[in-house]
Amino acid sequence: MDEQAFQGKLCNDMMRIAKEKCLNQKLHPVTLDVIGTANCEEVRLYKQSTKRAYAERCFFSLILNRESFAQTVENMFACAILARDGKISIGIGRPGDIQNDKRKDVGLEDIRELPCFWCPIGNADAVNAASGGQKELPNIEMVPKLNTAIWESLCEDTDFKAFMPNRNYPEYYGGKIESSKVDEETSEEEEEEEEESGEEEEEDDEEEEESSEEEDSNSEEDESPKKKNNKKRNSGSSSSSNSSRKKSRKK
C-alpha cells in the first residue's frame, strides 16, 4: 500500500466514525454507504429530544489517541482533509447555546468554547432542518496548535473520549508502505557508498605507504655517494698522515 492509499483508508475510517458519533449512522467500511443505525445511544437521545439532524462532538475526541502522539498527528491531518472536502465541518462551541443542558442530560461532552466537529447533511452548505432554515457557516481557516505538551494534557487532564482506535502497524495497512521501501533502498545505497569509500581510503593508505618507501629508498641512494666521498677523504687524510710520520723518522 502506498502513502496515498494509506491516507485514503485512514480518511474513510475517520469518516465512518464521524458519521456514527454525529448522526448515529452505520456506514459500509469500503463504500461508506449507510447500512444501518449505529449504537450511539447518547446521539440518538439528543436528536430525538432536540429534533436536530446531528450532534456536534468535540474535535479533540476525533483526533486524540492516548497511546500515540504520532497517530494523533495523523488523525489531525486526516480530519483536515475531510474538512477541506466538505465531509465534516469544524467550529467552536457557543458558550450560551441552549442545547448545552440537553447535551449534558443525554451524556454528551461539554463543547462550550471548545473546537467541535459535525457532519453536514448532504453538501457542505446543507441546511440543518432543526436550525430554523439557517445554512452552515462559510468556510474559514483554522490552525489548531498541537505539541507533546498539549497532547499530554489532553490525555491526562480531560475526560475526552478517543473515538479513533489505536492502529497496529504494519497490520493496519497490510505491510510496509512504499516510502519505507525507498528508505531501505537508500540505506542500502548509503552502505554500499560507505564500503566503496572505505576501500578507496585503504587504497590511498597503501599508495601513501608505497610512496613513503620510495622516498626512503631515494634518500638512501642520495646519501650513499656522500658516504663514499667521506670515506675517500678519510683514507686520503690517513695516508698523508702516515707519509708525514715516515719523513719525520728518516730525519
Side-chain angles (χ1 to χ4, degrees):
M1 178 182 290
D2 58 14
E3 292 183 0
Q4 187 174 3
F6 166 73
Q7 189 179 74
K9 177 177 172 56
L10 179 57
C11 288
N12 286 346
D13 290 346
M14 180 171 285
M15 192 68 230
R16 287 192 300 103
I17 292 173
K19 290 275 189 179
E20 176 184 342
K21 301 302 181 182
C22 293
L23 302 173
N24 195 30
Q25 292 179 349
K26 186 176 182 181
L27 273 62
H28 190 276
V30 180
T31 62
L32 297 183
D33 295 329
V34 179
I35 58 176
T37 302
N39 296 321
C40 196
E41 185 66 16
E42 61 270 22
V43 176
R44 186 188 69 80
L45 293 174
Y46 178 75
K47 291 172 63 177
Q48 182 179 355
S49 62
T50 61
K51 305 301 181 183
R52 292 176 67 90
Y54 54 79
E56 296 90 343
R57 306 303 300 266
C58 181
F59 170 78
F60 296 120
S61 295
L62 184 61
I63 67 168
L64 180 62
N65 185 324
R66 286 186 168 86
E67 298 182 24
S68 171
F69 172 72
Q71 290 192 24
T72 301
V73 175
E74 290 176 352
N75 293 340
M76 188 165 68
F77 277 111
C79 185
I81 293 172
L82 294 177
R84 180 201 64 188
D85 296 340
K87 295 180 179 179
I88 66 172
S89 296
I90 301 174
I92 303 295
R94 295 183 295 273
D97 195 341
I98 60 175
Q99 306 297 337
N100 288 323
D101 292 336
K102 293 182 179 181
R103 292 177 60 86
K104 184 178 180 181
D105 292 339
V106 299
L108 291 174
E109 65 275 10
D110 188 359
I111 60 171
R112 287 176 295 179
E113 298 183 347
L114 290 176
C116 59
F117 76 95
W118 62 92
C119 295
I121 306 301
N123 298 327
D125 60 346
V127 176
N128 186 346
S131 63
Q134 196 173 17
K135 287 188 176 183
E136 301 286 350
L137 295 174
N139 291 335
I140 59 174
E141 291 185 359
M142 186 181 73
V143 183
K145 181 180 179 181
L146 181 64
N147 52 33
T148 53
I150 296 175
W151 174 72
E152 290 175 355
S153 65
L154 290 173
C155 293
E156 299 173 0
D157 301 338
T158 68
D159 295 327
F160 296 134
K161 298 178 181 178
F163 296 156
M164 293 292 292
N166 185 59
R167 297 179 288 278
N168 295 322
Y169 295 143
E171 290 83 359
Y172 177 76
Y173 45 76
K176 296 181 179 180
I177 58 177
E178 290 185 357
S179 63
S180 63
K181 293 180 180 178
V182 174
D183 294 337
E184 290 178 358
E185 291 176 358
T186 53
S187 62
E188 290 177 357
E189 291 177 357
E190 290 176 355
E191 290 178 357
E192 291 177 357
E193 290 177 356
E194 289 179 357
E195 291 178 356
E196 290 177 357
S197 62
E199 292 175 357
E200 290 177 356
E201 290 178 357
E202 290 178 357
E203 292 177 356
D204 293 337
D205 294 337
E206 292 177 357
E207 290 177 357
E208 289 179 358
E209 290 178 357
E210 291 176 357
S211 61
S212 62
E213 290 176 357
E214 290 178 357
E215 290 176 356
D216 294 337
S217 62
N218 292 331
S219 62
E220 290 177 357
E221 291 176 357
D222 293 338
E223 289 177 356
S224 58
K226 293 181 180 179
K227 291 180 179 179
K228 291 179 180 178
N229 293 330
N230 290 332
K231 287 180 180 179
K232 289 180 179 179
R233 290 175 183 174
N234 293 331
S235 61
S237 61
S238 60
S239 60
S240 60
S241 61
N242 291 329
S243 61
S244 59
R245 288 177 184 174
K246 290 178 181 179
K247 288 179 181 179
S248 61
R249 287 177 183 175
K250 288 178 180 181
K251 290 178 181 179

